[in-house]
């Protein structure tokens, strides 16, 4: 998007007194870090900010400064001058409050998902960007805002998480420049990495042990799948959040081009997919199943009572031609 458009977003923010900042449901560190970081920056500019979220922050991410300020009840929308929705590739991912949130105008949407489905009034969507966190950094520069240490922490965590610690192909020189500026602001990379990655409870590690034992390989190891059942959650005592990052284990196999994680939830079956390189577009597969995401990281949900076996069969049937093609 052009600089003029960013100017329009800046002007809209400058005019607003009360701003609601939201992101997608089940927020990951990029979503949450962008939401909390931008909210803090806007408050620094004298705005009244409401950090709306359907649920409180997962225990895995409540180290992010000001996560306790998330508001889970929708406020009186008549007092909101503007909404900013971050890291949300599809308005359906706004959750239960979607319809109410979409009545807020102007709505600014900032996102980096490749298959972004347009919504909102002012959109800054750049699919090549490594994270929404680094777009928020650029916005704060355009707003000539101070970036507090708390906000810097949030944005740095967002960038580290969405780039897989600067490993994914979306990582560019700009990513490092922005991350470098945040470190110069006082962020300690080791501290953020420890909170993001060395955060296992015993029950979570036991769940990982069980889930890794389900590993199945197809197409000479090009496709790998792991599965978590409700029974495994019950046995380990782990929570649904605890499967965060499990998908990285099948992805780490040398032979793997596409990794899939099938997770049985109470009311649905969720699918996480990861792929390596530009040849394997898992976002396209996710879209065919009503989901979305990025070329190399995407997901979808089955909510119509399909069995685990049916879902797994369907996923393998869709992915085999991709990896064998
Ligand atoms: P994850 O596997 O970490 O849950 O999600 C990977 C990516 O896929 C994220 O960028 C997320 O936004 C997207 N994604 C995951 N599940 C869904 C879904 O059900 N619908 C859509 N539209 N995107 C999803
Ligand atoms: Mn993101």
């Amino acid at each position: 998007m052009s600089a003029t458009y960013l100017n329009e977003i800046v002007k809209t923010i400058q005019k607003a007194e009360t701003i609601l900042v939201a992101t997608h449901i089940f927020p990951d560190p990029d979503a949450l870090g962008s939401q909390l970081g931008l909210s803090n920056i806007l408050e620094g500019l004298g705005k009244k900010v409401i950090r709306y979220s359907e649920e409180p922050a997962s225990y895995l991410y409540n180290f992010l400064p000001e996560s306790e300020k998330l508001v889970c009840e929708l406020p009186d929308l008549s007092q909101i001058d503007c909404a900013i929705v971050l890291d949300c590739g599809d308005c359906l991912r706004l959750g239960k409050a979607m319809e109410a949130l979409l009545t807020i105008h102007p709505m600014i949407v900032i996102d980096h998902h490749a298959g972004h489905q347009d919504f909102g009034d002012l959109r800054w969507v750049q699919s090549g960007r490594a994270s929404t966190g680094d777009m928020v950094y650029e916005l704060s520069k355009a707003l000539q805002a101070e970036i507090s240490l708390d906000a810097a922490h949030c944005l740095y965590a967002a960038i580290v998480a969405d780039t897989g610690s600067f490993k994914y192909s979306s990582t560019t020189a700009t990513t490092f420049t922005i991350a470098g500026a945040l470190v110069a602001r006082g962020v300690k990379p080791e501290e953020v990495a420890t909170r993001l990655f060395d955060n296992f409870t015993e029950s979570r590690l036991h769940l990982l042990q069980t889930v890794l034992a389900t590993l199945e390989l197809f197409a000479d190891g090009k496709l790998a799948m792991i599965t978590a059942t409700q029974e495994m959650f019950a046995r380990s005592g782990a929570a649904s959040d605890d499967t965060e990052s499990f998908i990285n284990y099948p992805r780490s196999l040398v032979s793997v081009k596409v990794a899939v994680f099938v997770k049985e939830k109470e009311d649905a079956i969720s699918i996480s997919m990861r792929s390596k390189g530009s040849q394997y577009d898992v976002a396209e597969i996710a879209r065919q199943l009503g989901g979305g995401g990025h070329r190399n990281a995407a997901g979808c949900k089955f909510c119509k009572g399909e069995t685990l076996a049916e879902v797994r069969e369907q996923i393998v049937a869709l992915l085999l031609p991709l990896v064998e093609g």
Side-chain angles (χ1 to χ4, degrees), residues 32-53:
L32 207 51
S34 296
Q35 180 185 28
L36 296 172
L38 180 61
S39 297
N40 177 287
I41 288 163
L42 294 173
E43 279 178 348
L45 291 171
K47 310 291 177 188
K48 183 165 186 285
V49 179
I50 295 154
R51 300 153 171 83
Y52 174 75
S53 173

Side-chain angles (χ1 to χ4, degrees), residues 77-106:
L77 298 185
S78 66
Q79 57 166 320
I80 311 287
D81 300 317
C82 162
I84 307 178
V85 178
L86 300 163
D87 197 46
C88 188
D90 187 328
C91 66
L92 290 173
R93 302 205 82 219
L94 287 171
K96 292 179 193 137
M98 174 188 76
E99 281 186 23
L101 291 171
L102 290 175
T103 65
I104 308 174
H105 301 285

Side-chain angles (χ1 to χ4, degrees), residues 75-316:
D76 170 10
L77 298 185
S78 66
Q79 57 166 320
I80 311 287
D81 300 317
C82 162
I84 307 178
V85 178
L86 300 163
D87 197 46
C88 188
D90 187 328
C91 66
L92 290 173
R93 302 205 82 219
L94 287 171
K96 292 179 193 137
M98 174 188 76
E99 281 186 23
L101 291 171
L102 290 175
T103 65
I104 308 174
H105 301 285
M107 178 177 277
I108 297 168
V109 174
I110 300 175
D111 184 37
H112 69 134
H113 286 89
H116 181 92
Q117 304 288 309
D118 282 351
F119 66 100
D121 306 302
L122 288 164
R123 288 180 284 275
W124 176 21
V125 179
Q126 241 183 314
S127 66
R129 295 298 285 250
S131 69
T132 303
D134 67 69
M135 298 172 79
V136 168
Y137 178 88
E138 197 176 319
L139 173 62
S140 68
K141 288 286 147 191
L143 284 162
Q144 296 182 311
E146 279 293 314
I147 298 183
S148 69
L149 184 54
D150 279 351
H153 241 106
C154 289
L155 299 184
Y156 183 84
I159 295 170
V160 169
D162 251 31
T163 58
S165 303
F166 306 104
K167 282 189 308 214
Y168 300 154
S169 59
S170 54
T171 307
T172 63
T174 308
T175 324
F176 282 106
T177 303
I178 294 174
L182 295 170
V183 172
R185 178 66 188 81
V187 173
K188 301 211 164 28
E190 185 208 5
E191 203 178 300
V192 175
T194 302
R195 299 302 294 262
L196 275 178
F197 306 117
D198 299 338
N199 55 6
F200 276 66
T201 58
E202 219 173 289
S203 53
R204 186 175 174 207
L205 201 62
H206 279 136
L207 180 67
L208 175 63
Q209 202 172 20
T210 317
V211 170
L212 287 184
T214 69
L215 176 71
E216 289 169 273
L217 298 177
F218 306 87
D220 298 326
K222 290 198 207 101
L223 175 62
M225 180 159 73
I226 54 170
T227 306
T229 63
Q230 280 288 293
E231 194 266 327
M232 292 175 195
F233 284 105
R235 193 152 29 104
S236 61
S240 186
D241 297 353
D242 283 329
T243 57
E244 180 69 30
S245 78
F246 282 14
I247 184 77
N248 293 332
Y249 291 94
R251 185 189 182 280
S252 68
L253 265 171
V254 174
S255 61
V256 159
K257 304 298 179 198
V258 175
V260 192
F261 177 32
V262 182
K263 173 162 137 182
E264 188 182 28
K265 296 178 149 191
E266 265 171 35
D267 51 355
I269 296 171
S270 77
I271 307 293
S272 280
M273 291 181 277
R274 300 289 184 271
S275 66
K276 296 177 189 164
S278 58
Q279 207 181 327
Y280 306 100
D281 185 357
V282 285
E284 180 48 39
I285 303 285
R287 274 197 292 276
Q288 287 177 33
L289 296 166
H294 309 279
R295 175 176 288 273
N296 296 132
C300 60
K301 276 175 199 63
F302 289 77
C303 309
K304 298 199 181 106
E306 295 94 338
T307 65
L308 209 51
E310 284 163 357
V311 168
R312 283 151 38 99
E313 211 172 291
Q314 207 175 322
I315 293 290
V316 172

